[in-house]
Amino acid sequence: MYEKLELLIDGEWRPGSDGKTEPVINPATEETIADLPHASAQDLDHALAAAEKAFPIWRDTAPYDRGKIMQKAAAIMRERSKQIAETLVLEEGKVFAEAHVEVLVSADITDWYAEEGKRTYGRIIPGRIPGMRQFVYKEPVGPVAAFTPWNFPAVTPIRKMAGAIAAGCSCIIKASEETPGTCIALARAFQDAGLPNGVLNVVFGVPAEVSKHVIASPIIRKISFTGSIAVGKLLMAQAAEGLKRTTMELGGHSPVIVFDDTDVEQVVKAVVGGKYRNAGQVCISPTRFYVQDAHYAKFVKSFTETAKAMKVGNGMEEGMQMGPLANPRRLEAMQEFVADARDHGAKIETGGERMGNNGFFFEPTVMSDVPDDARVMYDEPFGPLAPISRFKDFDEVMEKANGLEYGLAAYAFTTSDKTAAAVSEKLQSGMVGVNSLAISMPETPFGGVKHSGHGSEGGIEGLEAYLNTKYVAQQS
Ligand code: NAD
């Protein structure tokens, strides 16, 4: 059952005023599942006015009361989690079990922010001048514009909506037009929980037109974007015109370093599931495997056998481990990455081809002896490709790992505490997983460095992103 697609403007669910729509496609069948209404320029102005009007009302609502509405929204999300997960699978393609976990995690994120919103503490700084009292206050930044991608249709919008709402901001969100139903379902949970009209507005349209219009408005004080580096740069330039604060969660190209003091079978077990989660369309997906000489052959063999055994199919079918790619652009990109790697001398151990001709399915792929100058080693693959290469020593692999402009996530496997400490220190990355790929929780900061962006979502840092600091000096 697929979600009813509507815009949410000033508390009203409705179509676009000029009747424009676009089709939403199921990537497993290539069938059109619904038509998505676009917001006209007039609708966007209406959403901006609603966010402006709602902001002081919500800012002045006690954090305790904001938290109660958010907790109710989280409970509604849990109640509807199976239904929302079905919508997610139909529009994005990932397998139902992954989609269901994503919705439940979204409820957890909402709960976590509901609590943490009560703790936007300031501080008192002892004065130098007799009788001077010095206060630091945290205040909501103002109406927020949020833009989210298609690969995590629940988690990427909820991090922004829940963070902004918990901080006392109003918000206009434009989720991906390819996966709109999940964000709509989450927004319905907030509305049904009693969120005042205009605090949350959901719009869709031609991405470049919507973002330009909304970011240019003086009403908007903060931009939060998750997506590609190219679009992030564009939105930052637009935000700079109005000197607006930004949070940018952009692409990654995560190295996985496997040292020869590890148990190879255990490492393979820990990383294969992570590699093919959401068919590799994950910004923190492990995407460059560097394996130390002694373990290299065994690692390639074991990884290949595990990848070959993966069950790939429609995410709504029982027992599937990987669904289709989310759109035909990824399919084309995978074919280009594989052809380029082959041309550069890489060996295709398994996969490398499209599966069938209905739905955007691509084989779980393993490539060995992939040279550094093959595109897949320096350009984010965002798909089910596992390129593997070997290294000799610590310094060599650190140079490779840090050699790209990406800096979102990095992983290392070792049994040595000394090596673990050294990699944690040396890796140029916003997040580092040592002996684990589990680096994202509601309470932990999520974000990158270098071209992977700036700012964090999740954790207290995720709330800070929606708060201004005000200093007050009071002489008595
Ligand atoms: P894209 O650059 O066209 O779009 C990326 C996302 O940004 C989409 O959700 C799109 O709707 C949105 N977008 C595009 N132009 C926009 C604009 N002017 N204003 C606001 N939003 C805009 O690329 P794509 O083909 O959808 O995805 C390809 C690449 O994007 C991937 O290879 C990956 O690097 C990156 N990506 C990253 C993430 C992430 O989680 N960081 C998620 C999805 C895609």
Side-chain angles (χ1 to χ4, degrees):
M1 201 180 67
Y2 190 65
E3 186 72 29
K4 184 171 183 210
L5 302 183
E6 294 171 302
L7 308 173
L8 172 63
I9 298 176
D10 203 9
E12 191 193 346
W13 291 101
R14 60 177 188 75
S17 60
D18 64 7
K20 272 198 195 148
T21 61
E22 75 175 281
V24 177
I25 311 288
N26 178 342
T29 62
E30 299 186 43
E31 284 163 0
T32 296
I33 46 177
D35 284 312
L36 174 69
H38 278 195
S40 64
Q42 198 190 346
D43 296 332
L44 294 178
D45 286 338
H46 189 174
L48 285 160
E52 184 180 34
K53 187 182 71 182
F55 172 59
I57 299 167
W58 191 239
R59 178 195 60 202
D60 297 341
T61 302
Y64 183 81
D65 294 323
R66 285 187 218 139
K68 277 202 284 196
I69 293 175
M70 292 183 73
Q71 277 163 344
K72 195 164 171 202
I76 296 172
M77 287 172 207
R78 287 196 185 93
E79 241 170 67
R80 300 177 187 167
S81 62
K82 289 207 165 134
Q83 197 183 318
I84 303 174
E86 255 181 60
T87 285
L88 201 164
V89 176
L90 288 173
E91 63 189 13
E92 202 270 350
K94 66 180 65 173
V95 296
F96 182 83
E98 278 182 34
H100 195 216
V101 167
E102 186 179 339
V103 176
L104 294 175
V105 167
S106 300
D108 284 358
I109 291 172
T110 307
D111 263 340
W112 193 82
Y113 273 121
E115 269 303 314
E116 202 59 22
K118 299 171 193 167
R119 292 185 270 276
T120 53
Y121 304 139
R123 66 190 196 278
I124 299 170
I125 301 169
R128 293 183 178 205
I129 305 163
M132 178 67 88
R133 286 148 63 85
Q134 307 184 131
F135 304 100
V136 177
Y137 290 89
K138 293 289 176 181
E139 295 182 334
V141 63
V144 171
F147 304 94
T148 56
W150 42 263
N151 59 334
F152 282 89
V155 159
T156 53
I158 206 73
R159 279 195 183 129
K160 298 183 195 307
M161 297 192 291
I165 290 171
C169 297
S170 54
C171 178
I172 299 178
I173 186 162
K174 189 203 78 59
S176 166
E177 285 68 22
E178 291 174 312
T179 58
T182 308
C183 179
I184 289 172
L186 299 177
R188 273 193 219 285
F190 281 109
Q191 287 306 114
D192 295 349
L195 194 71
N197 291 347
V199 174
L200 179 61
N201 303 274
V202 182
V203 297
F204 298 96
V206 176
E209 290 172 13
V210 176
S211 54
K212 195 166 170 219
H213 190 109
V214 172
I215 294 172
S217 164
I219 292 167
I220 294 299
R221 295 290 170 191
K222 158 93 196 187
I223 319 298
S224 185
F225 172 71
T226 300
S228 63
I229 293 174
V231 176
K233 285 183 184 173
L234 185 79
L235 300 197
M236 266 192 80
Q238 290 170 3
E241 286 292 313
L243 285 171
K244 296 178 187 188
R245 286 177 60 184
T246 54
T247 294
M248 292 283 151
E249 295 286 356
L250 309 177
H253 203 331
S254 313
V256 180
I257 304 165
V258 183
F259 289 97
D260 61 15
D261 58 11
T262 49
D263 175 332
V264 177
E265 294 301 333
Q266 279 203 5
V267 176
V268 169
K269 226 167 152 185
V271 297
V272 175
K275 170 66 257 179
Y276 298 113
R277 179 165 77 106
N278 195 21
Q281 303 162 115
V282 180
C283 52
I284 55 167
S285 178
T287 42
R288 301 180 273 153
F289 292 85
Y290 298 113
V291 184
Q292 205 160 11
D293 275 333
H295 276 346
Y296 182 76
K298 204 170 162 196
F299 183 88
V300 171
K301 185 166 178 279
S302 177
F303 201 118
T304 304
E305 279 164 11
T306 319
K308 271 185 181 160
M310 298 271 308
K311 287 209 169 100
V312 182
N314 189 321
M316 289 308 294
E317 279 172 35
E318 218 29 64
M320 290 303 149
Q321 292 169 297
M322 191 178 104
L325 297 168
N327 56 57
R329 301 187 298 288
R330 296 314 321 137
L331 203 52
E332 211 173 286
M334 291 314 106
Q335 283 158 337
E336 285 169 16
F337 275 120
V338 172
D340 174 82
R342 204 182 260 127
D343 288 349
H344 281 82
K347 185 173 172 214
I348 313 302
E349 298 283 347
T350 184
E353 302 288 341
R354 180 179 184 178
M355 298 170 74
N357 55 12
N358 184 30
F360 310 129
F361 294 94
F362 197 83
E363 293 172 320
T365 300
V366 180
M367 300 183 269
S368 62
D369 295 336
V370 188
D372 293 341
D373 61 352
R375 209 184 119 208
V376 70
M377 294 303 268
Y378 61 81
D379 198 358
E380 179 181 28
F382 224 65
L385 310 183
I388 310 177
S389 149
R390 65 172 83 217
F391 74 94
K392 281 194 173 54
D393 61 42
F394 185 87
D395 290 343
E396 179 200 354
V397 79
M398 279 303 124
E399 204 180 312
K400 283 177 193 270
N402 291 333
L404 305 184
E405 276 304 333
Y406 297 97
L408 189 60
Y411 308 96
F413 287 81
T414 175
T415 51
S416 152
D417 281 346
K418 193 170 161 227
T419 308
V423 289
S424 312
E425 207 177 291
K426 292 250 159 31
L427 283 169
Q428 296 167 4
S429 182
M431 295 169 280
V432 176
V434 180
N435 297 327
S436 173
L437 300 190
I439 56 166
S440 172
M441 304 287 160
E443 58 275 17
T444 58
F446 186 100
V449 296
K450 296 158 81 177
H451 285 193
S452 292
H454 56 253
S456 296
E457 300 194 283
I460 52 174
E461 290 82 358
L463 196 63
E464 191 68 40
Y466 298 101
L467 296 168
N468 279 340
T469 299
K470 179 187 271 176
Y471 169 63
V472 175
Q474 185 184 321
Q475 181 73 58
S476 55

